[in-house]
């Protein structure tokens, strides 16, 4: 199961999905130097340019050629960066409204954790990476604060999500096939193109020929030929004609030629049929609970974010040339310069 951090990342992804289609009014009343205003909170051209520059630096550090200024790709990157900043602003405003805060110590702790994870705790290596990607310490801390804020918001808006024992039992019953293993049997076979050749192989086997040697010499099945024709038959996973004979043969018995869409088979059962099994509910109860909890938290977050979109869609104003394209032409915003 995914961690709380991974769930929070999904929360941000959901935000991108619903905010991508947000509208926005014209440019009347924008403060000087602002490219957008979200419910009274301005996003400056300087902030946008810095975000775009960092994205371009990331692309260069990854060995990719950044788009040229004025190109369609550059405008797309710039729009992605702006929508990312708009979404971060919306979350920050909602966090303030809901009383959700992130302390400097929490940012410090997360930064130290990341340094340890990616740079073996070396501050020097960390700063070298910042320089290589053209990212400032302030930008890193800002990103971490936004991430922590999103995690706390996710926890808050999904705090009441619960899964009952009845929910778990219902899920288990309706997905019983996921917790069941069908009957199986170890067999070996030789696949050839014609019935005549299959009959010749049966005759050789009855005369005492070695099955594995014949399989390596004659079988056209690339998956089993090199191991003497051995394979495990699992009920429901093979073509019916092959499976029916393979599961019905007496142990050690050799079949007559069996026709399937792949050709003609000669099959020998190496052992008895192993009966199917079903994992008891008690052994998977905890994992089902976590699965359902994750699904319902995601659904609750999606509903909350949809409401967020409706509440903010008339509160966003863009400067001329910075409004997002129509919803059908937008893509899900991601932190600019990062792969999806």
């Amino acid at each position: 199961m995914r961690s709380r951090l991974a769930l929070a990342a999904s929360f941000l992804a959901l935000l991108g999905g619903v905010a991508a289609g947000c509208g926005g009014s014209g440019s009347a009343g924008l403060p000087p130097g602002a490219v957008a205003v979200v419910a009274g909170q301005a996003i400056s051209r300087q902030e946008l340019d810095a975000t775009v520059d960092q994205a371009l630096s990331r692309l260069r550090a990854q060995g990719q050629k950044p788009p040229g200024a004025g190109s369609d790709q550059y405008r797309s990157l710039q729009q992605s960066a702006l929508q990312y900043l708009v979404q971060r602003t919306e979350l920050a405003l909602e966090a303030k409204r809901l009383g959700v805060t992130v302390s400097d110590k929490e940012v410090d702790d997360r930064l130290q954790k990341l340094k340890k994870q990616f740079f073996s705790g070396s501050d020097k290596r960390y700063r070298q990476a910042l320089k290589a990607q053209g990212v400032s310490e302030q930008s890193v801390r800002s990103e971490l604060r936004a991430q922590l804020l999103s995690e706390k918001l996710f926890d808050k808006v999904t705090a009441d999500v619960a899964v009952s024992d009845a929910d778990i039992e219902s899920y288990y019953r309706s997905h019983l096939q996921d917790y069941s293993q069908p009957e199986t049997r170890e067999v070996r076979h030789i696949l050839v193109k014609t019935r005549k050749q299959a009959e010749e192989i049966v005759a050789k086997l009855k005369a005492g020929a070695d099955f594995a040697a014949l399989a390596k010499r004659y079988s056209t099945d690339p998956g089993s030929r090199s191991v003497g024709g051995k394979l495990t038959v699992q009920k429901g996973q093979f073509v019916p004609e092959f499976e029916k004979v393979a599961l019905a043969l007496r142990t050690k018995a050799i079949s007559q030629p069996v026709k399937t869409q792949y050709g003609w088979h000669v099959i020998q059962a190496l052992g008895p049929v192993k009966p199917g099994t079903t994992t008891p509910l008690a052994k998977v109860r905890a994992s089902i609970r976590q699965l359902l909890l994750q699904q319902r938290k995601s659904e609750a977050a999606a509903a909350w974010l949809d409401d967020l979109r409706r509440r903010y869609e008339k509160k966003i104003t863009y400067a001329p040339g910075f409004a997002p394209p129509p919803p059908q032409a937008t893509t899900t915003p991601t932190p600019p310069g990062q792969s999806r």
Side-chain angles (χ1 to χ4, degrees):
M1 292 298 162
R2 290 182 294 177
S3 66
R4 185 181 64 152
L5 176 59
L7 286 169
S10 296
F11 180 63
L12 284 174
L14 282 168
L15 176 62
V18 297
C22 285
S25 59
S27 60
L30 262 70
V35 292
V37 173
V38 182
Q41 182 71 44
I43 298 173
S44 70
R45 178 61 186 265
Q46 182 180 6
E47 185 179 4
L48 175 60
D49 288 346
T51 304
V52 171
D53 287 344
Q54 290 172 17
L56 295 175
S57 295
R58 289 192 189 102
L59 292 174
R60 293 188 190 97
Q62 295 166 3
Q64 301 180 46
K65 183 180 179 180
S71 67
D72 290 343
Q73 292 84 356
Y74 184 91
R75 285 190 289 271
S76 177
L77 177 65
Q78 185 183 60
Q79 183 57 228
S80 177
L82 179 55
Q83 288 305 303
Y84 177 63
L85 293 173
V86 166
Q87 293 161 16
R88 277 184 46 176
T89 303
E90 290 176 351
L91 277 184
L93 290 169
E94 283 302 295
K96 184 177 181 180
R97 186 178 71 84
L98 295 172
V100 176
T101 61
V102 173
S103 68
D104 290 341
K105 183 180 183 305
E106 288 174 308
V107 176
D108 290 339
D109 290 345
R110 177 60 61 85
L111 181 56
Q112 292 305 314
K113 183 177 180 180
L114 293 178
K115 283 183 182 181
K116 183 176 181 181
Q117 180 180 356
F118 295 105
F119 305 101
S120 301
S122 170
D123 187 68
K124 181 179 179 180
R125 289 175 57 191
Y126 161 70
R127 296 192 179 281
Q128 287 174 339
L130 293 189
K131 184 177 180 180
Q133 294 195 21
V135 179
S136 67
E137 172 86 7
Q138 182 181 357
S139 294
V140 171
R141 295 181 66 85
S142 177
E143 292 288 340
L144 292 179
R145 187 177 296 276
Q147 185 182 61
L148 288 163
L149 205 62
S150 74
E151 292 172 20
K152 288 190 174 185
L153 276 171
F154 180 88
D155 288 345
K156 189 173 185 69
V157 301
T158 62
D160 295 333
V161 174
V163 175
S164 69
D165 287 343
D167 294 333
I168 295 171
E169 291 162 9
S170 175
Y171 180 90
Y172 177 77
R173 288 193 299 271
S174 62
H175 294 79
L176 197 59
Q177 69 278 6
D178 295 338
Y179 303 100
S180 300
Q181 291 293 328
E183 59 186 23
T184 61
R185 191 177 207 180
E186 298 298 320
V187 303
R188 56 186 177 185
H189 81 128
I190 298 171
L191 174 62
V192 291
K193 293 182 179 180
T194 67
R195 181 185 184 100
K196 180 180 178 181
Q197 190 177 13
E199 289 174 341
E200 290 172 353
I201 287 172
V202 171
K204 289 179 180 180
L205 291 171
K206 289 184 176 180
D210 182 73
F211 196 110
L214 292 180
K216 291 178 181 179
R217 181 176 179 182
Y218 295 110
S219 183
T220 61
D221 177 17
S224 65
R225 181 176 56 200
S226 62
V227 290
K230 288 185 179 180
L231 53 80
T232 300
V233 176
Q234 188 176 72
K235 189 172 184 179
Q237 300 299 313
F238 287 74
V239 290
E241 303 91 341
F242 183 94
E243 183 181 285
K244 180 179 179 180
V245 174
L247 294 175
L249 277 174
R250 289 181 293 104
T251 300
K252 302 302 181 183
I254 295 173
S255 73
Q256 291 300 310
V258 178
K259 179 71 168 65
T260 73
Q261 65 195 71
Y262 302 106
W264 291 87
H265 306 257
V266 177
I267 308 168
Q268 182 180 36
L270 297 178
V273 175
K274 296 180 181 179
T277 60
T278 300
T279 304
L281 175 58
K283 289 190 175 182
V284 294
R285 182 181 294 275
S287 63
I288 293 176
R289 184 184 299 278
Q290 288 303 313
L291 173 65
L292 293 179
L293 195 62
Q294 174 186 318
Q295 290 176 346
R296 293 183 182 184
K297 281 178 178 287
S298 295
E299 290 167 0
W304 183 83
L305 290 167
D306 190 54
D307 177 67
L308 181 74
R309 176 190 60 80
R310 288 193 296 268
R311 286 189 284 113
Y312 274 90
E313 62 185 355
K314 300 299 183 182
K315 299 178 181 180
I316 306 173
T317 306
Y318 293 96
F322 289 94
Q328 64 269 23
T330 58
T331 57
T332 301
T334 58
Q338 296 184 11
S339 299
R340 282 196 246 173

